[in-house]
mmCIF file of all heavy atoms in Angstrom:
data_model
loop_
_atom_site.group_PDB
_atom_site.id
_atom_site.type_symbol
_atom_site.label_atom_id
_atom_site.label_comp_id
_atom_site.label_asym_id
_atom_site.label_seq_id
_atom_site.Cartn_x
_atom_site.Cartn_y
_atom_site.Cartn_z
ATOM 1 N N ARG A 53 0.843 -1.187 0.000
ATOM 2 C CA ARG A 53 0.000 0.000 0.000
ATOM 3 C C ARG A 53 0.880 1.239 0.000
ATOM 4 O O ARG A 53 1.880 1.294 0.698
ATOM 5 C CB ARG A 53 -0.874 -0.036 1.250
ATOM 6 C CG ARG A 53 -2.111 0.765 1.098
ATOM 7 C CD ARG A 53 -3.205 0.244 1.955
ATOM 8 N NE ARG A 53 -3.104 0.668 3.332
ATOM 9 C CZ ARG A 53 -4.057 0.507 4.195
ATOM 10 N NH1 ARG A 53 -5.152 -0.103 3.845
ATOM 11 N NH2 ARG A 53 -3.924 0.907 5.407
ATOM 12 N N ARG A 54 0.513 2.216 -0.767
ATOM 13 C CA ARG A 54 1.316 3.432 -0.913
ATOM 14 C C ARG A 54 0.889 4.490 0.103
ATOM 15 O O ARG A 54 -0.301 4.733 0.283
ATOM 16 C CB ARG A 54 1.134 3.975 -2.317
ATOM 17 C CG ARG A 54 2.115 5.037 -2.639
ATOM 18 C CD ARG A 54 2.697 4.796 -3.975
ATOM 19 N NE ARG A 54 3.864 5.637 -4.095
ATOM 20 C CZ ARG A 54 4.439 5.921 -5.209
ATOM 21 N NH1 ARG A 54 3.980 5.421 -6.318
ATOM 22 N NH2 ARG A 54 5.481 6.689 -5.238
ATOM 23 N N ARG A 55 1.866 5.095 0.741
ATOM 24 C CA ARG A 55 1.573 6.151 1.710
ATOM 25 C C ARG A 55 1.536 7.496 1.003
ATOM 26 O O ARG A 55 2.342 7.785 0.143
ATOM 27 C CB ARG A 55 2.646 6.174 2.794
ATOM 28 C CG ARG A 55 2.609 4.974 3.672
ATOM 29 C CD ARG A 55 3.675 4.935 4.721
ATOM 30 N NE ARG A 55 4.434 6.167 4.920
ATOM 31 C CZ ARG A 55 5.515 6.222 5.669
ATOM 32 N NH1 ARG A 55 5.976 5.154 6.255
ATOM 33 N NH2 ARG A 55 6.155 7.358 5.818
ATOM 34 N N ILE A 56 0.593 8.348 1.412
ATOM 35 C CA ILE A 56 0.432 9.645 0.768
ATOM 36 C C ILE A 56 1.648 10.527 0.990
ATOM 37 O O ILE A 56 2.057 11.281 0.099
ATOM 38 C CB ILE A 56 -0.877 10.348 1.215
ATOM 39 C CG1 ILE A 56 -1.153 11.592 0.379
ATOM 40 C CG2 ILE A 56 -0.841 10.697 2.691
ATOM 41 C CD1 ILE A 56 -1.529 11.308 -1.034
ATOM 42 N N ASP A 57 2.295 10.459 2.153
ATOM 43 C CA ASP A 57 3.466 11.301 2.393
ATOM 44 C C ASP A 57 4.612 10.918 1.460
ATOM 45 O O ASP A 57 5.311 11.780 0.926
ATOM 46 C CB ASP A 57 3.905 11.273 3.853
ATOM 47 C CG ASP A 57 4.158 9.880 4.399
ATOM 48 O OD1 ASP A 57 3.773 8.882 3.754
ATOM 49 O OD2 ASP A 57 4.735 9.788 5.495
ATOM 50 N N MET A 58 4.767 9.631 1.202
ATOM 51 C CA MET A 58 5.805 9.192 0.277
ATOM 52 C C MET A 58 5.455 9.600 -1.160
ATOM 53 O O MET A 58 6.348 9.913 -1.952
ATOM 54 C CB MET A 58 6.020 7.695 0.400
ATOM 55 C CG MET A 58 6.551 7.303 1.771
ATOM 56 S SD MET A 58 6.836 5.553 1.913
ATOM 57 C CE MET A 58 8.567 5.534 1.474
ATOM 58 N N THR A 59 4.176 9.602 -1.477
ATOM 59 C CA THR A 59 3.743 10.031 -2.804
ATOM 60 C C THR A 59 4.037 11.521 -3.002
ATOM 61 O O THR A 59 4.557 11.925 -4.042
ATOM 62 C CB THR A 59 2.250 9.754 -3.006
ATOM 63 O OG1 THR A 59 2.022 8.343 -2.853
ATOM 64 C CG2 THR A 59 1.770 10.197 -4.368
ATOM 65 N N VAL A 60 3.729 12.329 -1.994
ATOM 66 C CA VAL A 60 4.005 13.766 -2.075
ATOM 67 C C VAL A 60 5.503 13.995 -2.229
ATOM 68 O O VAL A 60 5.937 14.780 -3.090
ATOM 69 C CB VAL A 60 3.460 14.509 -0.837
ATOM 70 C CG1 VAL A 60 3.945 15.950 -0.804
ATOM 71 C CG2 VAL A 60 1.943 14.452 -0.810
ATOM 72 N N ALA A 61 6.320 13.317 -1.433
ATOM 73 C CA ALA A 61 7.774 13.471 -1.526
ATOM 74 C C ALA A 61 8.279 13.058 -2.914
ATOM 75 O O ALA A 61 9.160 13.712 -3.482
ATOM 76 C CB ALA A 61 8.463 12.661 -0.433
ATOM 77 N N ALA A 62 7.721 12.003 -3.476
ATOM 78 C CA ALA A 62 8.132 11.557 -4.806
ATOM 79 C C ALA A 62 7.744 12.576 -5.867
ATOM 80 O O ALA A 62 8.515 12.837 -6.798
ATOM 81 C CB ALA A 62 7.517 10.193 -5.119
ATOM 82 N N LEU A 63 6.569 13.171 -5.754
ATOM 83 C CA LEU A 63 6.141 14.193 -6.714
ATOM 84 C C LEU A 63 7.069 15.405 -6.669
ATOM 85 O O LEU A 63 7.402 15.982 -7.706
ATOM 86 C CB LEU A 63 4.704 14.610 -6.434
ATOM 87 C CG LEU A 63 3.648 13.567 -6.793
ATOM 88 C CD1 LEU A 63 2.298 13.945 -6.194
ATOM 89 C CD2 LEU A 63 3.546 13.399 -8.292
ATOM 90 N N VAL A 64 7.517 15.769 -5.473
ATOM 91 C CA VAL A 64 8.460 16.878 -5.337
ATOM 92 C C VAL A 64 9.810 16.483 -5.925
ATOM 93 O O VAL A 64 10.425 17.246 -6.678
ATOM 94 C CB VAL A 64 8.594 17.316 -3.859
ATOM 95 C CG1 VAL A 64 9.742 18.302 -3.685
ATOM 96 C CG2 VAL A 64 7.285 17.928 -3.367
ATOM 97 N N ALA A 65 10.272 15.281 -5.615
ATOM 98 C CA ALA A 65 11.572 14.812 -6.105
ATOM 99 C C ALA A 65 11.605 14.744 -7.629
ATOM 100 O O ALA A 65 12.649 15.004 -8.245
ATOM 101 C CB ALA A 65 11.898 13.449 -5.509
ATOM 102 N N GLU A 66 10.479 14.414 -8.240
ATOM 103 C CA GLU A 66 10.402 14.326 -9.702
ATOM 104 C C GLU A 66 10.092 15.675 -10.347
ATOM 105 O O GLU A 66 9.896 15.748 -11.560
ATOM 106 C CB GLU A 66 9.332 13.299 -10.101
ATOM 107 C CG GLU A 66 9.672 11.875 -9.718
ATOM 108 C CD GLU A 66 10.865 11.332 -10.494
ATOM 109 O OE1 GLU A 66 10.991 11.659 -11.695
ATOM 110 O OE2 GLU A 66 11.665 10.604 -9.887
ATOM 111 N N HIS A 67 10.026 16.729 -9.512
ATOM 112 C CA HIS A 67 9.744 18.091 -9.984
ATOM 113 C C HIS A 67 8.374 18.209 -10.648
ATOM 114 O O HIS A 67 8.167 19.067 -11.508
ATOM 115 C CB HIS A 67 10.843 18.593 -10.923
ATOM 116 C CG HIS A 67 12.199 18.529 -10.304
ATOM 117 N ND1 HIS A 67 12.611 19.410 -9.333
ATOM 118 C CD2 HIS A 67 13.218 17.675 -10.501
ATOM 119 C CE1 HIS A 67 13.839 19.104 -8.956
ATOM 120 N NE2 HIS A 67 14.233 18.047 -9.642
ATOM 121 N N LEU A 68 7.453 17.351 -10.231
ATOM 122 C CA LEU A 68 6.075 17.454 -10.720
ATOM 123 C C LEU A 68 5.264 18.395 -9.831
ATOM 124 O O LEU A 68 4.282 18.979 -10.281
ATOM 125 C CB LEU A 68 5.428 16.069 -10.782
ATOM 126 C CG LEU A 68 6.107 15.105 -11.754
ATOM 127 C CD1 LEU A 68 5.553 13.702 -11.589
ATOM 128 C CD2 LEU A 68 5.935 15.593 -13.180
ATOM 129 N N TRP A 69 5.663 18.477 -8.563
ATOM 130 C CA TRP A 69 5.082 19.432 -7.628
ATOM 131 C C TRP A 69 6.187 20.366 -7.182
ATOM 132 O O TRP A 69 7.330 19.946 -6.976
ATOM 133 C CB TRP A 69 4.482 18.730 -6.414
ATOM 134 C CG TRP A 69 3.131 18.140 -6.640
ATOM 135 C CD1 TRP A 69 2.505 17.923 -7.833
ATOM 136 C CD2 TRP A 69 2.237 17.661 -5.643
ATOM 137 N NE1 TRP A 69 1.289 17.344 -7.637
ATOM 138 C CE2 TRP A 69 1.092 17.175 -6.308
ATOM 139 C CE3 TRP A 69 2.293 17.602 -4.272
ATOM 140 C CZ2 TRP A 69 0.012 16.639 -5.620
ATOM 141 C CZ3 TRP A 69 1.226 17.068 -3.582
ATOM 142 C CH2 TRP A 69 0.087 16.595 -4.255
ATOM 143 N N ASP A 70 5.859 21.623 -6.988
ATOM 144 C CA ASP A 70 6.809 22.634 -6.570
ATOM 145 C C ASP A 70 7.082 22.512 -5.062
ATOM 146 O O ASP A 70 6.143 22.473 -4.264
ATOM 147 C CB ASP A 70 6.227 24.009 -6.907
ATOM 148 C CG ASP A 70 7.167 25.129 -6.576
ATOM 149 O OD1 ASP A 70 8.222 25.206 -7.223
ATOM 150 O OD2 ASP A 70 6.829 25.913 -5.670
ATOM 151 N N ARG A 71 8.359 22.430 -4.705
ATOM 152 C CA ARG A 71 8.741 22.286 -3.294
ATOM 153 C C ARG A 71 8.203 23.441 -2.449
ATOM 154 O O ARG A 71 7.732 23.233 -1.321
ATOM 155 C CB ARG A 71 10.252 22.205 -3.153
ATOM 156 C CG ARG A 71 10.710 22.057 -1.714
ATOM 157 C CD ARG A 71 12.206 21.960 -1.588
ATOM 158 N NE ARG A 71 12.715 20.732 -2.176
ATOM 159 C CZ ARG A 71 12.795 19.565 -1.536
ATOM 160 N NH1 ARG A 71 12.390 19.467 -0.297
ATOM 161 N NH2 ARG A 71 13.276 18.512 -2.142
ATOM 162 N N GLU A 72 8.264 24.655 -2.978
ATOM 163 C CA GLU A 72 7.781 25.811 -2.217
ATOM 164 C C GLU A 72 6.278 25.714 -1.952
ATOM 165 O O GLU A 72 5.807 26.110 -0.888
ATOM 166 C CB GLU A 72 8.119 27.117 -2.947
ATOM 167 C CG GLU A 72 9.592 27.464 -2.932
ATOM 168 C CD GLU A 72 10.418 26.656 -3.935
ATOM 169 O OE1 GLU A 72 9.860 26.174 -4.946
ATOM 170 O OE2 GLU A 72 11.622 26.484 -3.691
ATOM 171 N N MET A 73 5.532 25.192 -2.920
ATOM 172 C CA MET A 73 4.095 25.012 -2.741
ATOM 173 C C MET A 73 3.823 24.023 -1.602
ATOM 174 O O MET A 73 2.972 24.260 -0.744
ATOM 175 C CB MET A 73 3.451 24.494 -4.026
ATOM 176 C CG MET A 73 1.967 24.191 -3.898
ATOM 177 S SD MET A 73 1.297 23.207 -5.278
ATOM 178 C CE MET A 73 2.030 21.614 -4.965
ATOM 179 N N VAL A 74 4.570 22.922 -1.597
ATOM 180 C CA VAL A 74 4.382 21.913 -0.553
ATOM 181 C C VAL A 74 4.808 22.475 0.800
ATOM 182 O O VAL A 74 4.110 22.294 1.805
ATOM 183 C CB VAL A 74 5.138 20.615 -0.905
ATOM 184 C CG1 VAL A 74 5.047 19.606 0.230
ATOM 185 C CG2 VAL A 74 4.579 20.015 -2.193
ATOM 186 N N ASP A 75 5.940 23.179 0.837
ATOM 187 C CA ASP A 75 6.390 23.795 2.095
ATOM 188 C C ASP A 75 5.345 24.775 2.624
ATOM 189 O O ASP A 75 5.073 24.808 3.827
ATOM 190 C CB ASP A 75 7.712 24.536 1.885
ATOM 191 C CG ASP A 75 8.900 23.601 1.738
ATOM 192 O OD1 ASP A 75 8.812 22.436 2.184
ATOM 193 O OD2 ASP A 75 9.923 24.045 1.180
ATOM 194 N N ALA A 76 4.762 25.569 1.732
ATOM 195 C CA ALA A 76 3.726 26.516 2.142
ATOM 196 C C ALA A 76 2.513 25.782 2.702
ATOM 197 O O ALA A 76 1.921 26.214 3.698
ATOM 198 C CB ALA A 76 3.326 27.407 0.967
ATOM 199 N N GLY A 77 2.150 24.683 2.083
ATOM 200 C CA GLY A 77 1.025 23.888 2.582
ATOM 201 C C GLY A 77 1.293 23.305 3.952
ATOM 202 O O GLY A 77 0.415 23.292 4.815
ATOM 203 N N ILE A 78 2.516 22.852 4.157
ATOM 204 C CA ILE A 78 2.891 22.336 5.481
ATOM 205 C C ILE A 78 2.802 23.463 6.502
ATOM 206 O O ILE A 78 2.268 23.279 7.607
ATOM 207 C CB ILE A 78 4.301 21.713 5.448
ATOM 208 C CG1 ILE A 78 4.294 20.437 4.607
ATOM 209 C CG2 ILE A 78 4.794 21.421 6.867
ATOM 210 C CD1 ILE A 78 5.679 19.866 4.320
ATOM 211 N N GLY A 79 3.307 24.640 6.128
ATOM 212 C CA GLY A 79 3.241 25.790 7.037
ATOM 213 C C GLY A 79 1.816 26.165 7.395
ATOM 214 O O GLY A 79 1.513 26.434 8.561
ATOM 215 N N ARG A 80 0.945 26.174 6.389
ATOM 216 C CA ARG A 80 -0.467 26.486 6.672
ATOM 217 C C ARG A 80 -1.090 25.437 7.580
ATOM 218 O O ARG A 80 -1.881 25.768 8.473
ATOM 219 C CB ARG A 80 -1.258 26.598 5.371
ATOM 220 C CG ARG A 80 -1.030 27.889 4.628
ATOM 221 C CD ARG A 80 -2.012 28.081 3.476
ATOM 222 N NE ARG A 80 -2.010 26.962 2.534
ATOM 223 C CZ ARG A 80 -1.161 26.830 1.506
ATOM 224 N NH1 ARG A 80 -0.243 27.738 1.297
ATOM 225 N NH2 ARG A 80 -1.245 25.799 0.690
ATOM 226 N N ALA A 81 -0.743 24.190 7.378
ATOM 227 C CA ALA A 81 -1.286 23.125 8.221
ATOM 228 C C ALA A 81 -0.831 23.297 9.667
ATOM 229 O O ALA A 81 -1.607 23.094 10.597
ATOM 230 C CB ALA A 81 -0.872 21.760 7.680
ATOM 231 N N TRP A 82 0.441 23.687 9.881
ATOM 232 C CA TRP A 82 0.945 23.918 11.241
ATOM 233 C C TRP A 82 0.189 25.055 11.917
ATOM 234 O O TRP A 82 -0.030 25.026 13.138
ATOM 235 C CB TRP A 82 2.436 24.241 11.229
ATOM 236 C CG TRP A 82 3.325 23.038 11.241
ATOM 237 C CD1 TRP A 82 4.096 22.601 10.225
ATOM 238 C CD2 TRP A 82 3.532 22.114 12.309
ATOM 239 N NE1 TRP A 82 4.766 21.464 10.584
ATOM 240 C CE2 TRP A 82 4.449 21.144 11.860
ATOM 241 C CE3 TRP A 82 3.027 22.012 13.605
ATOM 242 C CZ2 TRP A 82 4.874 20.084 12.653
ATOM 243 C CZ3 TRP A 82 3.453 20.957 14.394
ATOM 244 C CH2 TRP A 82 4.354 20.012 13.924
ATOM 245 N N GLU A 83 -0.187 26.074 11.146
ATOM 246 C CA GLU A 83 -0.885 27.228 11.706
ATOM 247 C C GLU A 83 -2.272 26.878 12.239
ATOM 248 O O GLU A 83 -2.817 27.606 13.057
ATOM 249 C CB GLU A 83 -1.000 28.337 10.663
ATOM 250 C CG GLU A 83 0.328 28.976 10.324
ATOM 251 C CD GLU A 83 0.242 29.940 9.164
ATOM 252 O OE1 GLU A 83 -0.877 30.165 8.627
ATOM 253 O OE2 GLU A 83 1.294 30.466 8.778
ATOM 254 N N THR A 84 -2.841 25.774 11.775
ATOM 255 C CA THR A 84 -4.174 25.383 12.238
ATOM 256 C C THR A 84 -4.125 24.663 13.581
ATOM 257 O O THR A 84 -5.164 24.230 14.075
ATOM 258 C CB THR A 84 -4.883 24.468 11.221
ATOM 259 O OG1 THR A 84 -4.167 23.234 11.125
ATOM 260 C CG2 THR A 84 -4.987 25.134 9.864
ATOM 261 N N ARG A 85 -2.913 24.548 14.148
ATOM 262 C CA ARG A 85 -2.708 23.854 15.420
ATOM 263 C C ARG A 85 -3.236 22.423 15.357
ATOM 264 O O ARG A 85 -4.182 22.049 16.054
ATOM 265 C CB ARG A 85 -3.347 24.617 16.572
ATOM 266 C CG ARG A 85 -2.756 25.987 16.727
ATOM 267 C CD ARG A 85 -3.407 26.751 17.839
ATOM 268 N NE ARG A 85 -2.929 28.124 17.772
ATOM 269 C CZ ARG A 85 -2.698 28.854 18.833
ATOM 270 N NH1 ARG A 85 -2.906 28.386 20.027
ATOM 271 N NH2 ARG A 85 -2.273 30.083 18.680
ATOM 272 N N PRO A 86 -2.610 21.630 14.519
ATOM 273 C CA PRO A 86 -3.083 20.256 14.335
ATOM 274 C C PRO A 86 -2.876 19.411 15.589
ATOM 275 O O PRO A 86 -2.082 19.762 16.472
ATOM 276 C CB PRO A 86 -2.198 19.747 13.194
ATOM 277 C CG PRO A 86 -0.945 20.559 13.299
ATOM 278 C CD PRO A 86 -1.393 21.911 13.774
ATOM 279 N N GLY A 87 -3.579 18.295 15.633
ATOM 280 C CA GLY A 87 -3.449 17.359 16.735
ATOM 281 C C GLY A 87 -2.137 16.594 16.656
ATOM 282 O O GLY A 87 -1.367 16.738 15.695
ATOM 283 N N PRO A 88 -1.871 15.753 17.654
ATOM 284 C CA PRO A 88 -0.604 15.016 17.704
ATOM 285 C C PRO A 88 -0.339 14.145 16.478
ATOM 286 O O PRO A 88 0.789 14.123 15.978
ATOM 287 C CB PRO A 88 -0.736 14.147 18.959
ATOM 288 C CG PRO A 88 -1.754 14.833 19.789
ATOM 289 C CD PRO A 88 -2.687 15.515 18.839
ATOM 290 N N PHE A 89 -1.335 13.444 15.977
ATOM 291 C CA PHE A 89 -1.129 12.603 14.798
ATOM 292 C C PHE A 89 -0.728 13.442 13.592
ATOM 293 O O PHE A 89 0.216 13.128 12.877
ATOM 294 C CB PHE A 89 -2.398 11.795 14.476
ATOM 295 C CG PHE A 89 -2.276 11.037 13.176
ATOM 296 C CD1 PHE A 89 -1.616 9.827 13.132
ATOM 297 C CD2 PHE A 89 -2.794 11.561 12.001
ATOM 298 C CE1 PHE A 89 -1.487 9.131 11.934
ATOM 299 C CE2 PHE A 89 -2.671 10.882 10.803
ATOM 300 C CZ PHE A 89 -2.009 9.664 10.771
ATOM 301 N N GLN A 90 -1.457 14.542 13.368
ATOM 302 C CA GLN A 90 -1.157 15.405 12.235
ATOM 303 C C GLN A 90 0.218 16.038 12.361
ATOM 304 O O GLN A 90 0.932 16.169 11.369
ATOM 305 C CB GLN A 90 -2.232 16.490 12.079
ATOM 306 C CG GLN A 90 -3.551 15.968 11.592
ATOM 307 C CD GLN A 90 -4.440 15.457 12.735
ATOM 308 O OE1 GLN A 90 -4.075 15.510 13.911
ATOM 309 N NE2 GLN A 90 -5.611 14.962 12.379
ATOM 310 N N ARG A 91 0.603 16.435 13.581
ATOM 311 C CA ARG A 91 1.940 17.007 13.783
ATOM 312 C C ARG A 91 3.021 15.998 13.437
ATOM 313 O O ARG A 91 4.007 16.332 12.780
ATOM 314 C CB ARG A 91 2.109 17.492 15.223
ATOM 315 C CG ARG A 91 1.396 18.798 15.508
ATOM 316 C CD ARG A 91 1.837 19.430 16.811
ATOM 317 N NE ARG A 91 1.724 18.542 17.946
ATOM 318 C CZ ARG A 91 0.678 18.468 18.756
ATOM 319 N NH1 ARG A 91 -0.377 19.229 18.555
ATOM 320 N NH2 ARG A 91 0.667 17.629 19.766
ATOM 321 N N ARG A 92 2.840 14.748 13.862
ATOM 322 C CA ARG A 92 3.823 13.708 13.532
ATOM 323 C C ARG A 92 3.869 13.475 12.029
ATOM 324 O O ARG A 92 4.941 13.315 11.452
ATOM 325 C CB ARG A 92 3.492 12.398 14.259
ATOM 326 C CG ARG A 92 3.830 12.421 15.727
ATOM 327 C CD ARG A 92 3.741 11.044 16.357
ATOM 328 N NE ARG A 92 2.457 10.392 16.161
ATOM 329 C CZ ARG A 92 1.393 10.543 16.933
ATOM 330 N NH1 ARG A 92 1.450 11.326 17.987
ATOM 331 N NH2 ARG A 92 0.276 9.899 16.676
ATOM 332 N N TRP A 93 2.711 13.463 11.380
ATOM 333 C CA TRP A 93 2.661 13.238 9.939
ATOM 334 C C TRP A 93 3.347 14.377 9.191
ATOM 335 O O TRP A 93 4.142 14.150 8.288
ATOM 336 C CB TRP A 93 1.208 13.092 9.486
ATOM 337 C CG TRP A 93 1.096 12.637 8.070
ATOM 338 C CD1 TRP A 93 1.083 11.355 7.632
ATOM 339 C CD2 TRP A 93 0.993 13.460 6.897
ATOM 340 N NE1 TRP A 93 0.984 11.325 6.256
ATOM 341 C CE2 TRP A 93 0.931 12.595 5.785
ATOM 342 C CE3 TRP A 93 0.951 14.828 6.683
ATOM 343 C CZ2 TRP A 93 0.824 13.070 4.480
ATOM 344 C CZ3 TRP A 93 0.850 15.297 5.383
ATOM 345 C CH2 TRP A 93 0.783 14.414 4.306
ATOM 346 N N LEU A 94 3.049 15.608 9.580
ATOM 347 C CA LEU A 94 3.679 16.766 8.939
ATOM 348 C C LEU A 94 5.186 16.770 9.163
ATOM 349 O O LEU A 94 5.955 17.066 8.246
ATOM 350 C CB LEU A 94 3.058 18.064 9.450
ATOM 351 C CG LEU A 94 1.612 18.318 9.022
ATOM 352 C CD1 LEU A 94 0.999 19.431 9.858
ATOM 353 C CD2 LEU A 94 1.537 18.636 7.535
ATOM 354 N N ALA A 95 5.611 16.431 10.365
ATOM 355 C CA ALA A 95 7.059 16.357 10.646
ATOM 356 C C ALA A 95 7.702 15.261 9.805
ATOM 357 O O ALA A 95 8.801 15.442 9.287
ATOM 358 C CB ALA A 95 7.286 16.103 12.142
ATOM 359 N N GLY A 96 7.026 14.145 9.654
ATOM 360 C CA GLY A 96 7.541 13.067 8.821
ATOM 361 C C GLY A 96 7.640 13.473 7.361
ATOM 362 O O GLY A 96 8.613 13.152 6.675
ATOM 363 N N LEU A 97 6.656 14.212 6.878
ATOM 364 C CA LEU A 97 6.683 14.704 5.498
ATOM 365 C C LEU A 97 7.842 15.666 5.306
ATOM 366 O O LEU A 97 8.584 15.571 4.336
ATOM 367 C CB LEU A 97 5.355 15.368 5.128
ATOM 368 C CG LEU A 97 5.269 15.961 3.723
ATOM 369 C CD1 LEU A 97 5.572 14.916 2.659
ATOM 370 C CD2 LEU A 97 3.903 16.583 3.508
ATOM 371 N N ARG A 98 8.029 16.568 6.249
ATOM 372 C CA ARG A 98 9.177 17.496 6.161
ATOM 373 C C ARG A 98 10.480 16.728 6.134
ATOM 374 O O ARG A 98 11.395 17.064 5.380
ATOM 375 C CB ARG A 98 9.178 18.457 7.341
ATOM 376 C CG ARG A 98 8.057 19.461 7.261
ATOM 377 C CD ARG A 98 8.323 20.568 8.192
ATOM 378 N NE ARG A 98 8.670 21.666 7.282
ATOM 379 C CZ ARG A 98 8.925 22.873 7.666
ATOM 380 N NH1 ARG A 98 8.933 23.159 8.937
ATOM 381 N NH2 ARG A 98 9.196 23.811 6.798
ATOM 382 N N SER A 99 10.556 15.677 6.920
ATOM 383 C CA SER A 99 11.766 14.847 6.927
ATOM 384 C C SER A 99 11.979 14.177 5.571
ATOM 385 O O SER A 99 13.111 14.135 5.051
ATOM 386 C CB SER A 99 11.654 13.800 8.041
ATOM 387 O OG SER A 99 12.776 12.956 8.032
ATOM 388 N N LEU A 100 10.915 13.650 4.992
ATOM 389 C CA LEU A 100 11.016 13.023 3.671
ATOM 390 C C LEU A 100 11.464 14.026 2.610
ATOM 391 O O LEU A 100 12.133 13.656 1.638
ATOM 392 C CB LEU A 100 9.673 12.414 3.259
ATOM 393 C CG LEU A 100 9.279 11.114 3.937
ATOM 394 C CD1 LEU A 100 7.847 10.745 3.569
ATOM 395 C CD2 LEU A 100 10.230 10.005 3.557
ATOM 396 N N LEU A 101 11.097 15.272 2.801
ATOM 397 C CA LEU A 101 11.466 16.320 1.849
ATOM 398 C C LEU A 101 12.888 16.828 2.077
ATOM 399 O O LEU A 101 13.375 17.677 1.331
ATOM 400 C CB LEU A 101 10.479 17.475 1.900
ATOM 401 C CG LEU A 101 9.063 17.151 1.443
ATOM 402 C CD1 LEU A 101 8.132 18.323 1.727
ATOM 403 C CD2 LEU A 101 9.047 16.792 -0.027
ATOM 404 N N GLY A 102 13.530 16.330 3.138
ATOM 405 C CA GLY A 102 14.903 16.728 3.407
ATOM 406 C C GLY A 102 15.053 17.941 4.300
ATOM 407 O O GLY A 102 16.102 18.554 4.334
ATOM 408 N N HIS A 103 14.009 18.277 5.041
ATOM 409 C CA HIS A 103 14.080 19.389 5.981
ATOM 410 C C HIS A 103 14.473 18.836 7.337
ATOM 411 O O HIS A 103 14.176 17.705 7.676
ATOM 412 C CB HIS A 103 12.735 20.100 6.110
ATOM 413 C CG HIS A 103 12.273 20.722 4.844
ATOM 414 N ND1 HIS A 103 12.903 21.784 4.259
ATOM 415 C CD2 HIS A 103 11.240 20.417 4.028
ATOM 416 C CE1 HIS A 103 12.276 22.108 3.149
ATOM 417 N NE2 HIS A 103 11.258 21.290 2.987
ATOM 418 N N SER A 104 15.082 19.688 8.137
ATOM 419 C CA SER A 104 15.429 19.257 9.504
ATOM 420 C C SER A 104 14.342 19.643 10.473
ATOM 421 O O SER A 104 13.418 20.310 10.160
ATOM 422 C CB SER A 104 16.745 19.875 9.920
ATOM 423 O OG SER A 104 16.733 21.272 9.764
#
């Protein structure tokens, strides 16, 4: 089964999605004060994208 976070990271890596667009989306998601699961998922996505 394919994970959506890995799919997003692959789309960015293949230059099909703009990294800045994805980063902005992650930032907007953080601003909504997500719950613990969402925070872990967003942090994992940032990690997959190569952010610290």
Side-chain angles (χ1 to χ4, degrees):
R53 204 153 80 169
R54 192 134 194 197
R55 292 178 11 190
I56 189 70
D57 55 347
M58 296 181 94
T59 301
V60 170
L63 288 167
V64 170
E66 294 293 323
H67 305 286
L68 297 171
W69 280 14
D70 183 66
R71 180 179 293 274
E72 289 78 25
M73 176 194 71
V74 175
D75 286 339
I78 292 171
R80 283 190 305 275
W82 274 110
E83 291 172 3
T84 65
R85 299 179 189 216
F89 173 81
Q90 289 86 1
R91 284 194 306 267
R92 285 191 305 274
W93 190 88
L94 291 166
L97 178 56
R98 289 196 108 177
S99 178
L100 285 172
L101 294 172
H103 297 293
S104 53

